[in-house]
Amino acid sequence: MIEDIARVLSAGPALVLTGAGMSTDSGIPDYRGPDGQRKVTPMHLSEFVASSEARRRYWARSFVGWRRFHAARPNAAHHAVTRLQELGAVGPLITQNVDGLHQAAGTREVVELHGNLVDVVCLTCDARVARPVLDERMAAENPGFDVDSDEIRPDGDVRLDAVDVERFRVPICTSCGQDTLKPDVVFFGGAVDKPKVQHCFDLTDQAPSLLVLGSSLQVMSGLRFVRRAAKRGIPVALITRGPSRGDDLVDHRVDGELADSLRSLTQSLDRVAASA
């Protein structure tokens, strides 16, 4: 199957779609287990906007989790994608991840479908602040808040005891004074901006093939591009662990570890090029 995917990619640079499975080897777990069932329940957008207490709970957990999340580095799979791009086997990349690890690995033309945790926006006045800057402010406003956790979640937060959450001072927007700062990412229950979705559809329509990496495609956010590609009749390849919601739409399917599979794919591309 890897050889088949290599032949597809050798015909022209594929559009890439990546999910949380890309970052598991960097220490950032995915939302779902091998059976496709959700392992954690992230905060819903409606809950976040509804109350200051919900925002306090989010920011307290995120403040602790950010230390580990921000320290994550690209893994072998990220670097393999960059190498495939350098070889001309893949082109633009759409990622559902919010960790920025593709760019850190040197991958170009990355569309962050769900945003990036490094950006923070005020829901009241639209003022923006970089997360590292906000993190310094939260540290200064919460002296002695030295809670730690070995846990990390895909969206960068952790579980905390209620007693720790209650003593955390939620960050305030320096422009309007409201406590409505939010990471500029798509929370569960939210929607991707229509122009960004259209841009991704355009990329899908222009691509000779689609390569999906590390995604169970359980949510429509990513699945819609696989459906679009299948409707166009272009080859669709999927490499991920466990079942996916798009298995009936793909032409080539590998159930396995990404780093090993992408290493084999690069080697296969070299063989295909040598025999051409």
Side-chain angles (χ1 to χ4, degrees), residues 167-189:
R167 64 188 180 92
F168 187 80
R169 294 187 61 185
V170 66
I172 301 299
C173 175
T174 57
S175 294
C176 69
Q178 300 299 309
D179 71 338
T180 49
L181 291 173
K182 170 186 169 294
D184 195 13
V185 299
V186 179
F187 275 35
F188 273 72

Side-chain angles (χ1 to χ4, degrees), residues 16-21 30-33 36 94 96 113-114 210-227 229-230 236-253:
V16 180
L17 172 66
T18 68
D30 54 13
Y31 281 107
R32 302 175 191 274
I94 302 168
Q96 300 172 84
L113 192 64
H114 297 155
L210 176 64
L211 175 62
V212 184
L213 303 173
S215 177
S216 63
L217 299 172
Q218 291 296 322
V219 295
M220 187 56 65
S221 182
L223 180 63
R224 55 187 155 191
F225 305 118
V226 176
R227 289 182 172 177
V236 180
L238 171 63
I239 304 176
T240 195
R241 289 180 58 199
S244 89
R245 191 179 172 191
D247 283 346
D248 61 330
L249 299 171
V250 305
D251 303 285
H252 310 286
R253 173 77 162 89

Side-chain angles (χ1 to χ4, degrees), residues 112-187:
E112 294 178 310
L113 192 64
H114 297 155
N116 192 312
L117 279 177
V118 78
D119 301 315
V120 179
V121 62
C122 177
L123 299 180
T124 300
C125 69
D126 291 328
R128 306 183 74 85
V129 60
R131 177 58 194 268
V133 174
L134 182 63
D135 194 64
E136 290 182 2
R137 278 176 41 201
M138 286 191 289
E141 294 167 2
N142 290 276
F145 194 84
D146 55 357
V147 180
D148 200 0
S149 172
D150 291 333
E151 182 191 27
I152 186 171
R153 297 185 183 185
D155 50 4
D157 68 349
V158 297
R159 293 184 182 89
L160 287 183
D161 293 333
V163 64
D164 291 318
V165 172
E166 290 170 1
R167 64 188 180 92
F168 187 80
R169 294 187 61 185
V170 66
I172 301 299
C173 175
T174 57
S175 294
C176 69
Q178 300 299 309
D179 71 338
T180 49
L181 291 173
K182 170 186 169 294
D184 195 13
V185 299
V186 179
F187 275 35

